[in-house]
Amino acid sequence: MRAVLCDMDGTLVDSEKLWDVAMDALYDRLGGVLRPEVRAATVGGCAENTMRIVYDDLGLPLDPAAMADSAHWLHDYTAGLFDTGLPWCDGARELLDGLAAAAMPVALVTNTPRALAERALDTIGRHYFAAVVCGDEVDRGKPAPDPYLRAAQLLELDPRWCLAVEDSPTGAAAAEAAGCAVLVAPNAIPVPGGPRRRQVASLAGLAPADLHDIYTDLATPIPTPTPTPHERERACLPADTP
């Protein structure tokens, strides 16, 4: 394990409850009532997918300009809620402190737009992260692998050397598609299991050594490239052979 890639909402900070409030307010603005199953479908999603789900549910035309306006309104509303303070998820701060003490690189990988993520980082602390990737900085947000691929690229690592920490089906799917081993601590909704996923009730009590053990159990071995005939021949020659 060379790095840990962490989701934000519902994984490090218990902000999904604030997103619940903001989504209820958006539905009120659009003249509807948010149903639990629709809210569950949007957890961990990128802005584009969330607005498509909302507009489909309300029977509204899928007008890109209107959906973009709703997304901006939702993010502005949520920013105000973030400014009132973000509670940590159980064990999250202690785990970040442990990873920092172990000098393990950590990247924040979130579908939240940069402007809103910056507000959250005022609470979380920027010093924990060697890189931050936000939903509006990649072509496709989670569940596509793009955010995790970008984070690994910024850390100059193969994603298969990284353990992702997630709380949602959307995020776990994105990390798995990128090639990461995935530690899942479900928050708002259940997350399906998988051969490259390990589930825990919460991050409480987990230390860097525990994450390393989980990664070792889940990671797909990275094969050593087979040497070419020329490379094998050179390996057999004396070191001073020109």
Side-chain angles (χ1 to χ4, degrees), residues 106-188:
V106 178
L108 186 69
V109 187
T110 177
N111 262 345
T112 298
R114 169 65 70 166
L116 188 51
E118 287 292 331
R119 307 279 274 269
L121 284 168
D122 289 339
T123 294
I124 299 171
R126 292 170 177 78
H127 63 284
Y128 287 118
F129 307 107
V132 176
V133 178
C134 299
D136 55 350
E137 297 172 341
V138 291
D139 290 338
R140 302 174 300 164
K142 304 173 191 177
D146 301 32
Y148 279 101
L149 293 173
R150 177 60 177 159
Q153 181 184 44
L154 291 173
L155 297 179
E156 300 183 344
L157 294 173
D158 188 305
R160 292 174 293 177
W161 291 338
C162 303
L163 177 69
V165 185
E166 274 284 355
D167 75 297
S168 71
T170 297
E176 197 169 52
C180 303
V182 190
L183 171 62
V184 181
N187 186 314

Side-chain angles (χ1 to χ4, degrees), residues 33 57 61 66 95 98 114 130 164 214 226:
V33 176
D57 179 52
L95 180 58
R114 169 65 70 166
I214 291 169
T226 302

Side-chain angles (χ1 to χ4, degrees), residues 3-21:
V4 175
L5 312 180
C6 283
D7 174 54
M8 184 177 75
D9 294 298
T11 299
L12 295 181
V13 289
D14 197 11
S15 49
E16 292 297 353
K17 295 179 179 63
L18 301 183
W19 282 104
D20 290 345
V21 173

Side-chain angles (χ1 to χ4, degrees), residues 21-41:
V21 173
M23 287 289 290
D24 278 329
L26 175 64
Y27 261 73
D28 186 63
R29 181 173 186 258
L30 295 175
V33 176
L34 178 62
R35 294 176 291 129
E37 61 269 27
V38 176
R39 173 63 185 121

Side-chain angles (χ1 to χ4, degrees), residues 25-68:
L26 175 64
Y27 261 73
D28 186 63
R29 181 173 186 258
L30 295 175
V33 176
L34 178 62
R35 294 176 291 129
E37 61 269 27
V38 176
R39 173 63 185 121
T42 66
V43 170
C46 63
E48 181 180 358
N49 288 346
T50 294
M51 288 305 113
R52 186 178 297 110
I53 291 169
V54 168
Y55 273 59
D56 272 340
D57 179 52
L58 294 174
L60 298 173
L62 299 181
D63 177 65
M67 291 192 291

